């Protein structure tokens, strides 16, 4: 069932329930009012007939004649009068006695002074009438034909109005729900046009501050992120294909040349060595891509714990020196830094990958293969500088240095894939820190700044 139909039916159902409750209340209160009004009419009729009997010059026969004449045109109230000893002294029509008074009923009327009750569809009342120091008992009974007719007419009108209003409410509900949900229908039509090849399309938004406009804005934001993700993925796959093609082509070429002609043992060993070097390069590239994938996870899925930055720097320092004996790395930690300043919430493995990349890059592009690490801090921040001397990086290259697979002309002289700095920046940002680079006067400085207050 469509939302439009469900809303219309719900709206109609709620309206119907309210109308039913309202109708019941009106009918019940009208019925109560009719009953009370007719009891008052019976009381007045009983007193009037008693006055007529005791105080007028009309004889009992004449009063009977008046009663019978009235019953031909209206539902005349039937009155009976009893003396204090419960003897009947007057009755409008004793042959058709509505009330059928008995001593028990008369005693009850005498005791309570007034009594009202129903006899089938008839209403009856018993009351005391005083005359010449005696208390007479007067009963009156009648059928409220006009009152019941009015109530039935009210019920008929209410049922007709109920059905008519429900039909109108249902039609109005269809119209209003269609109008209210029309923007959603337009959204659906626009969304149907958005495909993997048309992620640049966006939903129309308005200046209204309502939920639908907020939904469209958030949906457009999601499309923006998806488009960026798709573009990055395409770019990423394209560059990986290019980077993997080079060592694979080299390995294939070397093995094909070796298979085509006889070679000496030394030449075979040299071919194997070339193939191993290319295979190792592919392993390094694969490891870099795996690290990049880990750094690209949702931050909520990466485990963070309390770590010490100085210990991670020492591990990176030892690892780089062990793998590259020609590299020279120095680590200087400011003596004013307290131990708590070196503690933060982070992922030890990822931070070590980032520091390894910064140290390796500094040594790789320094003519004398040196990297100086300076750790400084204050009450709010902790900064780590990775300094090397060598070729100054141009301003144009500095603008693109953190882009994936970007390599400047000078950096192409060294082996690399353009992933390290891009990966490092992602890891630093995951730790709510920032990284910046300056290069001038043959000195390049990468600075990582951690916010101590945040951590």
């Amino acid at each position: 069932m469509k939302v439009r139909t469900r809303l219309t039916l719900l709206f109609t159902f709620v309206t119907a329930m309210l109308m039913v409750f309202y109708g019941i209340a009106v009918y019940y209160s009208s019925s109560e009012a009719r009953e009370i009004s007719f009891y008052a009419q019976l009381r007045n009729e009983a007193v009037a007939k008693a006055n007529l009997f005791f105080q007028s010059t009309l004889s009992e026969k004449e009063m009977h004649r008046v009663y019978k004449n009235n019953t031909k045109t209206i539902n005349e109230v039937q009155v009976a009068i009893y003396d204090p000893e419960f003897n009947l002294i007057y009755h409008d029509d004793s042959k058709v006695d509505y009330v059928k008074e008995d001593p028990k009923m008369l005693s009850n009327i005498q005791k309570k002074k007034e009594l009202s009750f129903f006899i089938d569809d008839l209403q009856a009342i018993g009351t005391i009438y005083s005359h010449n120091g005696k208390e007479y008992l007067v009963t009156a009974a009648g059928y409220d034909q006009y009152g019941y007719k009015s109530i039935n007419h009210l019920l008929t009108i209410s049922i007709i109005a109920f059905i008519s209003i429900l039909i109108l409410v249902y039609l109005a509900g269809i119209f209003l729900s269609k109008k209210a949900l029309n923007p959603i229908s337009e959204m659906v039509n626009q969304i149907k046009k958005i495909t993997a090849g048309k992620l640049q399309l966006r939903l129309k938004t308005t200046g209204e501050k309502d939920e639908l406009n907020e939904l469209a804005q958030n949906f457009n934001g999601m499309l923006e992120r998806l488009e960026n993700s798709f573009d990055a993925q395409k770019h990423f796959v394209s560059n990986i294909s290019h980077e993997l093609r080079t060592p694979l082509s080299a390995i294939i070429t070397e093995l094909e040349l070796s298979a085509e002609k006889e070679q000496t043992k030394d030449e075979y060993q040299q071919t194997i060595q070339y193939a191993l070097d290319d295979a190792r390069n592919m392993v390094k590239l694969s490891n870099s891509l795996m690290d990049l994938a880990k750094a690209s996870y949702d931050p909520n899925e990466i485990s963070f714990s309390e770590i010490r930055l100085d210990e991670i720097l020492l591990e990176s320092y030892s690892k780089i020196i062990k793998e590259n004996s020609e590299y020279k790395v120095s680590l200087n930690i400011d003596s004013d830094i307290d131990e708590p300043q070196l503690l933060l919430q982070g992922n030890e493995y990822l931070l070590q990958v980032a520091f390894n990349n910064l140290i390796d890059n500094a040594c790789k592009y320094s003519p004398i293969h040196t990297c100086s690490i300076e750790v400084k801090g204050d009450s709010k921040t902790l900064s780590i500088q990775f300094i090397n001397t060598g070729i100054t990086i141009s301003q144009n290259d500095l603008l693109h240095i953190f882009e994936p697979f970007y390599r400047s002309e000078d950096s192409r002289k060294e082996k690399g894939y353009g992933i390290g700095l891009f990966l490092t920046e992602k890891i630093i940002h995951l730790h709510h820190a920032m990284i910046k680079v300056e290069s001038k006067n043959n000195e390049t400085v990468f600075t990582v700044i951690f916010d101590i207050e945040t951590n």
Side-chain angles (χ1 to χ4, degrees), residues 322-414:
K322 183 178 180 180
E323 293 179 353
N324 303 276
S325 58
E326 72 277 14
Y327 287 178
K328 299 178 181 63
V329 183
S330 61
L331 174 61
N332 302 306
I333 300 177
D334 196 330
S335 59
D336 294 333
I337 295 178
D338 298 327
E339 182 178 332
Q341 291 177 273
L342 295 169
L343 297 174
L344 58 84
Q345 292 292 320
N347 185 281
E348 182 177 351
Y349 171 78
L350 290 177
L351 276 178
Q352 189 172 346
V353 170
F355 293 157
N356 287 350
N357 286 335
L358 290 172
I359 297 172
D360 185 65
N361 269 11
C363 293
K364 185 191 297 182
Y365 295 108
S366 169
I368 54 176
H369 302 301
T370 60
C371 174
S372 175
I373 305 172
E374 302 286 340
V375 182
K376 302 176 182 179
D378 53 36
S379 59
K380 295 183 178 180
T381 61
L382 181 74
S383 65
I384 306 174
Q385 293 182 324
F386 298 84
I387 308 168
N388 77 318
T389 55
I391 301 172
T392 303
I393 304 173
S394 69
Q395 291 300 314
N396 181 61
D397 288 335
L398 287 176
L399 295 174
H400 305 282
I401 198 167
F402 292 113
E403 292 181 4
F405 302 102
Y406 178 80
R407 303 195 69 200
S408 65
E409 291 298 326
D410 294 329
S411 66
R412 294 182 187 278
K413 298 174 184 177
E414 300 290 339

Side-chain angles (χ1 to χ4, degrees), residues 430-443:
L430 277 175
H431 289 78
H432 307 290
M434 63 175 292
I435 182 171
K436 60 181 182 179
V437 57
E438 293 180 350
S439 185
K440 56 185 179 181
N441 302 326
N442 293 331
E443 184 179 79

Side-chain angles (χ1 to χ4, degrees), residues 201-268:
L201 297 178
R202 296 292 182 269
L203 299 182
K204 292 180 181 178
T205 57
T206 62
E208 299 293 334
K209 295 182 179 179
D210 56 19
E211 291 81 357
L212 292 178
N213 191 57
E214 185 179 355
L215 173 64
Q217 290 176 345
N218 285 318
F219 191 84
N220 286 340
M222 181 189 70
L223 287 176
E224 188 75 29
R225 294 190 294 272
L226 284 175
E227 185 180 11
N228 292 337
S229 177
F230 269 66
D231 290 342
Q233 187 182 41
K234 290 177 184 177
H235 184 70
F236 186 76
V237 172
S238 175
N239 283 287
I240 286 180
S241 300
H242 175 74
E243 295 294 340
L244 287 175
R245 190 185 300 117
T246 302
L248 283 173
S249 298
I251 292 174
I252 292 171
T253 301
E254 289 159 1
L255 294 177
E256 284 179 344
L257 290 173
S258 177
E260 287 176 356
K261 61 179 181 178
E262 291 289 334
Q263 292 183 325
T264 63
K265 179 181 178 181
D266 292 338
E267 288 174 334
Y268 277 122

